[in-house]
């Protein structure tokens, strides 16, 4: 399938849930078995992060449709961290997972094109074009306007990739700008949603009828989620804020359409960086992560069932 | 001097101009002498970019106060590109230049902290805290609100660094969101400017009276620049859009205060990636880049003189 929305929803269907697991490295929160000391710092950072992320992917790849990598957490560890990001992307794909990079990039057209090349497309190096980080989908910030999003749209069309544009984010301060009241009575996020909608038609998948131009809508703002859901019927929502940030499964359920599709829900820390002890062995760490992923899946799926029941009443 | 604004303006004073040179790698636009073929692709990308950027820095370090690195252009070349970014930052600092990274990062608080660690502060690796990319200043996107900017502010206070928050960017589409008309009659960028102003007091330098919390204001929108200048009297503006993007020196001059300070003007492609031939030898490439930097300096300085003359009338 060469349409990202179709690929993502096919994976959701196959796994029977819309849960995404976050892979956001925190060296201080890793089990000891993964930490490799000695050697060059760059190499030991790279191999420690990758060792633990392999453990996470081994634990959940048959349960959930995809993973989300938060770029900042890799960048904070410099070259070694970014190399571990590359390793983690590759291993996730080898294990059949959809890979989303949460990088919130946004820049003027020629620069946005460089970002699109880096994450979705190809760059020309010494006369040859080749993929770089090559994920399935990237989060994009809309502050610079439509011409900053178009290079990503072109890359989506050319390479069968997707984007999630920030509409209403999960943090408390998101209201400062996103809920700014406009002259037409709406809030700013509504203008962003409108902008996205104008693109979404171009990238609708034949199989599921959803667009590869999606939106980030936090689980922490269910009221806004309901409104945005109506404004963007064909967009898939990436829903952060479930778990550690306080959003419940019922809140996240507001991001779905009545067909039970239309969103994926992410949890990072609460599933992958909350082991009971740093002394756990690999198989015990795997078992804990797997159990937490199962709990999240059960929680989200039952909220969706309750919502479907309620919608029918 | 442990205040970024003071350090930047001291450099502007010492060099006698507010011009910043952009170092945005395009392998296809480099002179042949810099390109190293053979060996691992990562290594040849890294050494080619660094070789040419050393040539640029050697050519301009005694002329201009600083350099700006656009992160996207390094990221598009993967690990090798990002390693070249690190090399370029280090060499620029060794040559006494103020280093700005144009990365337009913006995320929820815990993630913004990871970005602040990566670019301005320190990260903890295997029990030891150490700087990572360690630039003087980073550009930051405000779409996620004040709590997404605060971690950068804290890093500025702790490490003597600075930020430029996107207010009105240089691209044509910047009006889509930034000029959205609000219920109070103002445009959205005015709200962002207000947000910045509430922070700027905390980071004012003793020497020049400017704040390390600055703003990005494009040379391509002189009318907005005049308005924002009045709203943010103590903020230094980073002014892109001069040169290749069509902003003139007179437009850029609108970003300055009457004291002749308050802004730095960036040019990238038109100075550093527009050599007359890829066959130039190193010393001839240096001479061309130096000449272009001199022309930019003369152009910007004479616009500032004209403005000072006009202001006095």
């Amino acid at each position: 399938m060469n349409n990202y929305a179709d690929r993502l929803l096919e994976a959701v269907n196959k796994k029977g849930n819309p849960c995404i697991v976050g892979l956001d490295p925190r060296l201080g929160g890793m089990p000891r078995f993964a930490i490799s000391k000695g050697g060059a710092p760059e190499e030991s950072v790279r191999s420690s992060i990758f060792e633990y992320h392999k453990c996470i992917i081994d634990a959940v790849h048959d349960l959930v449709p995809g993973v989300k990598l938060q770029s900042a957490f890799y960048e904070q560890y410099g070259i070694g961290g970014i190399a571990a990001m590359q390793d983690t992307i590759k291993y996730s794909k080898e294990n059949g997972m959809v890979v989303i990079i949460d990088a919130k990039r946004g820049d003027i057209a020629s620069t946005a094109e460089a970002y699109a090349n880096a994450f979705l497309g190809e760059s020309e190096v010494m006369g040859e074009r080749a993929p770089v980080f090559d994920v399935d989908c990237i989060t994009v910030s809309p502050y610079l306007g439509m011409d900053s999003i178009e290079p990503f749209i072109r890359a989506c069309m050319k390479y069968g990739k997707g984007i999630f544009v920030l509409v209403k984010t999960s943090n408390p301060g998101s209201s400062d700008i996103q809920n700014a009241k406009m002259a037409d009575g709406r809030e700013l996020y509504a203008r962003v949603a409108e902008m996205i909608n104008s693109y979404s038609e171009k990238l609708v998948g034949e199989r599921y009828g959803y667009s590869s131009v999606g939106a980030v809508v936090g689980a922490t703002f269910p009221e806004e989620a309901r409104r945005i859901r109506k404004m963007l019927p064909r967009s898939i929502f990436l829903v952060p804020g479930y778990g550690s940030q306080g959003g419940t499964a019922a809140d996240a359920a507001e991001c779905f359409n009545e067909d039970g599709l239309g969103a994926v829900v992410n949890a990072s820390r609460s599933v992958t960086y909350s082991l009971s002890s740093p002394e756990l062995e690999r198989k015990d760490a795997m078992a804990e992560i797997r159990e937490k992923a199962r709990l999240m899946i059960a929680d989200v799926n039952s909220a969706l069932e309750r919502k479907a029941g309620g919608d029918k009443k």
Side-chain angles (χ1 to χ4, degrees), chain A residues 247-265:
Chain A
T248 67
D251 296 333
E254 299 296 339
C255 293
F256 288 77
N257 274 323
E258 285 177 24
D259 61 2
L261 293 174
V264 288
V265 182

Side-chain angles (χ1 to χ4, degrees), chain A residues 24-40:
Chain A
D24 305 348
R26 299 164 191 263
L27 285 172
M30 281 185 187
R32 220 154 283 182
F33 80 80
I35 303 293
S36 69
K37 289 201 173 173

Side-chain angles (χ1 to χ4, degrees), chain A residues 19-25 53 64-71 73-74 88-89 92 97-104 137 139 164 216 238-241 245 264-268 272:
Chain A
C19 297
I20 300 287
V21 162
L23 296 169
D24 305 348
H53 287 183
V64 298
V67 291
K68 177 172 91 69
L69 285 71
Q70 170 50 256
S71 181
F73 286 88
Y74 296 89
T88 302
I89 291 166
S92 300
M97 311 194 85
V98 174
V99 181
I100 299 163
I101 189 142
D102 191 0
K104 298 185 175 65
C137 182
T139 57
F164 290 114
V216 174
L238 170 64
V239 185
Q245 289 180 56
V264 288
V265 182
N266 178 73
S268 300
T272 55

Side-chain angles (χ1 to χ4, degrees), chain A residues 48-217:
Chain A
S48 300
I49 295 173
F50 185 46
E51 193 57 38
Y52 183 47
H53 287 183
K54 270 195 292 190
C55 164
I56 298 172
I57 295 160
D58 289 348
V60 302
H61 77 277
D62 61 330
L63 295 178
V64 298
V67 291
K68 177 172 91 69
L69 285 71
Q70 170 50 256
S71 181
F73 286 88
Y74 296 89
E75 291 178 46
Q76 73 178 333
Y77 297 121
I79 303 292
I82 296 164
M85 183 171 93
Q86 201 169 36
D87 298 338
T88 302
I89 291 166
K90 191 162 171 280
Y91 193 74
S92 300
K93 286 161 67 179
E94 285 167 2
N95 281 274
M97 311 194 85
V98 174
V99 181
I100 299 163
I101 189 142
D102 191 0
K104 298 185 175 65
R105 299 297 196 254
D107 216 303
I108 66 168
S110 59
T111 308
E113 196 181 325
Y115 279 131
N117 290 343
F119 292 105
L120 305 179
E122 297 174 335
S123 288
E124 189 173 319
V125 175
M126 312 299 173
E128 284 182 34
R129 295 193 68 85
V132 188
F133 292 107
D134 201 21
V135 296
D136 294 294
C137 182
I138 185 172
T139 57
V140 172
S141 176
Y143 190 70
L144 276 86
M146 289 176 76
D147 61 5
S148 71
I149 295 185
E150 279 158 3
F152 290 99
I153 302 278
R154 283 195 296 274
C156 288
M157 297 176 83
K158 186 167 178 189
Y159 301 102
K161 302 292 178 91
I163 56 171
F164 290 114
V165 183
L166 305 182
V167 177
K168 176 65 186 165
T169 56
S170 58
N171 57 315
S174 70
S175 302
D176 294 339
I177 301 297
Q178 297 161 26
N179 290 61
K181 196 84 167 174
M182 297 198 301
D184 62 8
R186 298 183 307 164
E187 291 170 299
L188 183 76
Y189 69 77
R191 190 179 181 121
V192 176
E194 202 175 63
M195 203 162 101
I196 296 170
N197 213 24
S198 69
Y199 290 118
S200 70
E201 291 295 322
K202 290 184 189 173
L203 280 150
V204 173
E206 288 179 6
R207 178 80 186 266
Y208 290 93
Y210 279 90
S211 173
S212 298
V213 183
V216 174
V217 180

Side-chain angles (χ1 to χ4, degrees), chain A residues 296-312:
Chain A
M296 179 193 179
I297 291 168
D299 189 31
V300 170
N301 274 353
S302 67
L304 287 174
E305 279 160 30
R306 279 194 305 278
K307 186 180 179 237
D311 282 355
K312 276 175 203 145

